[in-house]
């Protein structure tokens, strides 16, 4: 019995590697008989050690042992955990079967803390069915049970779950008050390791989906410190949020390296996290002009189950396939099952739709997308407000929304988007004859792009810095069409224009066709004459 006693002691203090080795040894010894609790501990220690299949096998044995002893609470909780794990492994039928068994073993019995897990499931199901009343009823039952039985783990989880329900209803202040309370328990070290990891992962997902960059930065740093030990199964789950934060803050080299590590660290039951890491790497590669690498990363994300939008659409736009980009974005927007649970995801799709519609010369569609983006934004969500102001400014080229967008991006310390807005401001300044102001913005944008390694954007800023000021704005042309026309008027071939603007020759041809239509001309010579007459060349 000495081995079992040591194993139980190791499990109690969450020494999972030690517990696994000792329990594994005891399980092979004919003199030692593992109790249902020992088998649960074996399942937990196997999971923490990265042995997901062994964890499920031990949990199945634990359930059978609880049933044999007539312990319905233990059997019901173990059945719930099996449902949870089978769902993560992509086996929905098995998950549904074990959830049904958990309900059979726990429902209709006297109140017990294990029923908190069923209430949590009820909350998520009601939320998914857009039944806020049922979701709140379920989560309040979860909270009452957690309080009654004095479980810090379950109480923190119930507050996180209620925050999720309230966020879906747009009640941000109440939601984040609850989430802050739950995370105070997490960061103070008051919870078990399993619930600490789960709450970090859930809360960071909520913050990013709700576009709360401030909390995401703070809690990501705390999460990475907590799971610093090698082998921590939550390390990849937390690191993916670190990738997203580093990406926004312009630390692209670190972000891409962290994305690579995520794919090495996550377990087989966390393929969605690996998909998110591949997508994040593609975003960095695309903005740095590494288009073939970006295409491979988006493809890998798709293979792992993530819809690679809007990044893939923006890649197609850079390749001159604007129609394909538009179709991909429309499909992604139509298929987004619950925009209320992913405000940032929808906002990014709408921002890309605005950009793509402008590239196709469809200002009405661009304005419509910008309007929807503005409806998502609110003064207490600076990230969404910055995106909305950028979209509106790109449609109108009006200084007011662009200056507001720039101020917000700078306050958020998001350099790439700030530099993109400076490019738009430069176009607006030049259209107004403010060449000196345009030059200042272009210089600042080029410097930011160069620091980030955003080569195509840096080249575009440099090309615009060599251009001559406009004496009057050209009628109906987009900013990119002005760039193309200026280069064509200087004698550049389609290939030269493509090389200087880091776009495809197909895209140059499409821009020229649009220019000819807008200027009512039928040749490069006539377009060049217009460029000289209007001060473009």
């Amino acid at each position: 019995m000495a081995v079992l006693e040591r194993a139980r002691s190791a499990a109690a203090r969450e020494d999972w590697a030690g517990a696994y080795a000792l329990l594994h040894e005891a399980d092979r010894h004919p003199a030692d008989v593992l109790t249902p609790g020992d088998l649960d501990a074996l399942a937990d220690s196997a999971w923490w050690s990265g042995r997901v299949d062994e964890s499920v096998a031990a949990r199945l044995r634990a359930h059978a042992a609880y049933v044999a002893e007539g312990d319905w609470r233990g059997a019901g909780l173990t059945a719930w955990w099996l449902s949870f794990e089978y769902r993560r492994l992509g086996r929905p039928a098995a998950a549904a079967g074990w959830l049904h068994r958990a309900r059979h073993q726990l429902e209709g019995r006297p109140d017990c803390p294990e029923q908190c897990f069923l209430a949590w499931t009820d909350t998520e199901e009601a939320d998914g069915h857009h039944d806020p009343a049922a979701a709140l009823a379920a989560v309040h039952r979860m909270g009452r049970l957690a309080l009654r039985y004095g479980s810090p783990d379950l109480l923190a989880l119930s507050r996180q779950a209620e925050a999720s329900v309230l966020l879906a209803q747009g009640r941000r202040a109440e939601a984040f008050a609850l989430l802050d309370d739950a995370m105070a328990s997490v960061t103070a070290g008051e919870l078990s390791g399993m619930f600490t990891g789960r709450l970090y992962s859930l809360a960071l997902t909520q913050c990013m989906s709700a576009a709360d960059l401030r909390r995401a930065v703070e809690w990501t740093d705390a999460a990475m410190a907590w799971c610093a030990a090698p082998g921590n199964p939550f390390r990849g789950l937390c690191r993916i949020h670190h990738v997203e934060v580093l990406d926004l803050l312009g630390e692209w080299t670190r972000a891409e390296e962290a994305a690579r590590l995520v794919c090495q660290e996550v377990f087989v039951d966390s393929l969605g996290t690996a998909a998110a890491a591949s997508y994040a790497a593609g975003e960095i590669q695309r903005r740095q002009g590494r288009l073939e690498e970006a295409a491979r990363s988006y493809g890998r994300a798709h293979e792992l189950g993530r819809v690679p939008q809007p990044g893939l659409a923006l890649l197609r736009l850079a390749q001159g396939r604007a129609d394909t980009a538009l179709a991909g974005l429309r499909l992604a927007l139509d298929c987004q099952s619950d925009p209320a649970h992913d405000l940032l995801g929808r906002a990014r799709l709408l921002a890309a739709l605005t950009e793509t519609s402008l590239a196709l010369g469809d200002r009405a569609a661009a304005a419509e997308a910008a309007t929807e983006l503005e409806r998502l934004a609110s003064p207490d969500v600076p990230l969404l407000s910055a995106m909305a102001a950028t979209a509106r400014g790109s449609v109108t080229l009006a200084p007011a929304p662009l200056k507001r967008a720039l101020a917000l991006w700078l306050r958020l310390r998001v350099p790439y988007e700030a530099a993109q807005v400076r490019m738009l401001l430069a176009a607006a300044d030049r259209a107004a004859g403010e060449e000196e102001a345009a030059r200042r913005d272009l210089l600042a944008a080029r410097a930011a792009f160069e620091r980030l390694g955003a080569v195509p954007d840096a080249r575009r800023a440099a090309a615009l810095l060599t251009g001559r000021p406009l004496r009057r704005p050209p009628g109906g042309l987009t900013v990119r069409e002005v760039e193309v026309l200026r280069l064509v008027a200087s004698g550049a071939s389609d290939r030269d224009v493509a090389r200087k603007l880091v776009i495809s020759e197909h895209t140059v041809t499409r821009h020229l066709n649009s220019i000819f239509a807008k200027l009512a001309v039928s040749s490069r010579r006539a377009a060049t004459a217009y460029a000289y007459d209007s001060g473009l060349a």
Side-chain angles (χ1 to χ4, degrees):
M1 292 297 293
V3 172
L4 267 180
E5 289 172 1
R6 287 161 51 209
R8 291 164 183 161
S9 175
R13 63 177 184 271
E14 298 190 342
D15 172 11
W16 297 116
Y20 175 79
L22 291 165
L23 286 166
H24 200 60
E25 178 184 346
D27 198 30
R28 294 192 306 242
H29 200 286
D32 292 330
V33 178
L34 270 60
T35 67
D38 293 332
L39 290 167
D40 257 341
L42 177 59
D44 289 340
S45 63
W47 185 84
W48 280 90
S49 304
R51 299 172 173 88
V52 176
D53 290 340
E54 286 187 45
S55 174
V56 171
R59 195 87 66 194
L60 289 167
R61 291 173 61 196
H63 181 268
Y66 281 123
V67 171
E69 290 189 356
D71 184 347
W72 301 111
R73 286 174 57 183
L77 180 58
T78 305
W80 186 91
W81 276 112
L82 282 165
S83 170
F84 181 85
E85 196 55 67
Y86 276 128
R87 187 170 75 244
R88 291 176 61 84
L89 287 167
R91 296 181 59 184
W98 282 102
L99 179 59
H100 182 270
R101 187 168 293 190
R103 291 192 187 282
H104 174 72
Q105 290 164 339
L106 291 173
E107 287 180 343
R109 298 183 181 275
D111 286 352
C112 61
E114 290 79 8
Q115 290 169 347
C116 279
F117 293 91
L118 290 183
W120 188 25
T121 298
D122 292 340
T123 301
E124 292 185 330
E125 288 181 349
D127 208 18
H129 293 142
H130 307 288
D131 188 344
L136 283 174
V139 81
H140 287 161
R141 171 170 167 73
M142 183 182 178
R144 286 194 300 271
L145 287 169
L147 276 171
R148 178 176 174 182
Y149 293 101
S151 169
D153 284 346
L154 293 174
L155 185 58
L157 185 63
S158 72
R159 286 172 176 157
Q160 179 278 326
E162 186 173 359
S164 179
V165 173
L166 294 175
L167 278 173
Q169 298 175 25
R171 297 159 63 179
R172 292 178 67 92
E174 298 169 75
F176 280 114
L178 285 167
L179 194 57
D180 287 345
D181 185 298
M183 294 307 293
S185 298
V186 173
T187 54
E190 297 171 358
L191 310 183
S192 68
M194 178 64 76
F195 281 80
T196 295
R198 294 285 176 213
L199 280 162
Y200 267 130
S201 179
L202 290 167
L204 289 170
T205 299
Q206 283 177 317
C207 288
M208 291 306 297
S209 296
D212 193 316
L213 183 57
R214 178 181 63 81
R215 283 183 173 86
V217 170
E218 181 178 339
W219 290 340
T220 297
D221 289 343
M224 292 307 297
W226 172 76
C227 64
N232 187 314
F234 289 101
R235 190 163 177 79
L237 298 175
C238 293
R239 194 191 292 278
I240 185 57
H241 300 295
H242 195 217
V243 170
E244 294 170 341
V245 168
L246 291 172
D247 182 15
L248 279 169
L249 298 181
E251 298 185 42
W252 289 356
T253 301
R254 289 178 61 199
E256 189 172 5
E257 173 61 17
R260 184 185 64 79
L261 291 173
V262 169
C263 295
Q264 297 175 1
E265 293 168 343
V266 294
F267 292 171
V268 67
D269 61 349
S270 301
L271 292 182
T273 303
S278 295
Y279 178 81
E283 288 289 85
I284 294 166
Q285 292 154 358
R286 172 179 60 80
R287 286 172 292 180
Q288 290 187 331
R290 299 151 56 195
L291 302 189
E292 292 184 3
E293 292 177 70
R296 288 194 293 271
S297 294
Y298 291 141
R300 175 64 173 161
H302 180 69
E303 289 171 6
L304 293 172
R306 189 199 196 284
V307 176
Q309 298 291 7
L312 181 59
L314 294 172
L315 173 65
R316 297 297 180 234
L317 187 61
Q319 294 170 330
R321 298 166 61 186
D323 291 334
T324 302
L326 181 63
L329 290 170
R330 291 291 188 194
L331 180 61
L333 283 162
D334 290 342
C335 292
Q336 195 178 30
S337 59
D338 196 353
H341 283 87
D342 189 7
L343 287 176
L344 183 57
R346 188 163 191 85
R348 283 172 164 161
L349 288 169
L350 291 168
L353 181 59
T354 304
E355 182 178 347
T356 303
S357 297
L358 287 173
L360 287 167
D362 190 345
R363 289 188 172 273
E368 183 180 348
T371 298
E372 184 179 346
L373 185 45
E374 287 169 334
R375 285 197 293 266
L376 294 181
S378 59
D380 61 336
V381 193
L383 185 56
L384 294 183
S385 296
M387 295 174 74
T390 302
R392 178 59 60 192
S394 69
V395 172
T396 63
L397 277 188
L402 291 172
K403 288 179 179 179
R404 183 166 67 253
L406 179 59
L408 286 166
W409 288 124
L410 291 174
R411 192 173 83 194
L412 290 165
R413 296 185 295 121
V414 178
Y416 180 74
E417 281 73 9
Q420 291 279 29
V421 172
R422 288 190 189 277
M423 296 287 284
L424 292 169
L425 273 170
D429 290 334
R430 277 188 164 169
E434 299 289 341
E435 180 62 24
E436 187 58 35
R439 185 171 181 79
R440 285 196 302 269
D441 281 321
L442 287 171
L443 286 169
R446 184 180 66 177
F449 290 141
E450 288 175 346
R451 283 194 299 272
L452 292 164
V455 176
D457 292 296
R459 287 177 179 169
R460 186 160 60 96
L464 288 172
L465 278 167
T466 64
R468 295 168 61 183
L470 294 175
R471 287 197 292 271
R472 62 183 175 86
L477 297 184
T478 66
V479 174
R480 177 49 64 93
E481 288 166 353
V482 169
E483 296 169 8
V484 170
L485 180 56
R486 179 183 285 120
L487 290 169
V488 167
S490 71
S493 66
D494 286 6
R495 178 172 295 181
D496 292 334
V497 174
R499 180 177 55 80
K500 289 181 180 180
L501 296 182
V502 198
I503 57 178
S504 69
E505 289 186 50
H506 173 76
T507 303
V508 174
T509 301
R510 181 173 54 77
H511 283 312
L512 281 173
N513 289 337
S514 177
I515 290 167
F516 291 171
K518 289 179 180 180
L519 302 184
V521 298
S522 58
S523 67
R524 295 170 75 98
R525 179 177 297 178
T528 298
Y530 177 91
Y532 277 97
D533 289 343
S534 63
L536 284 170

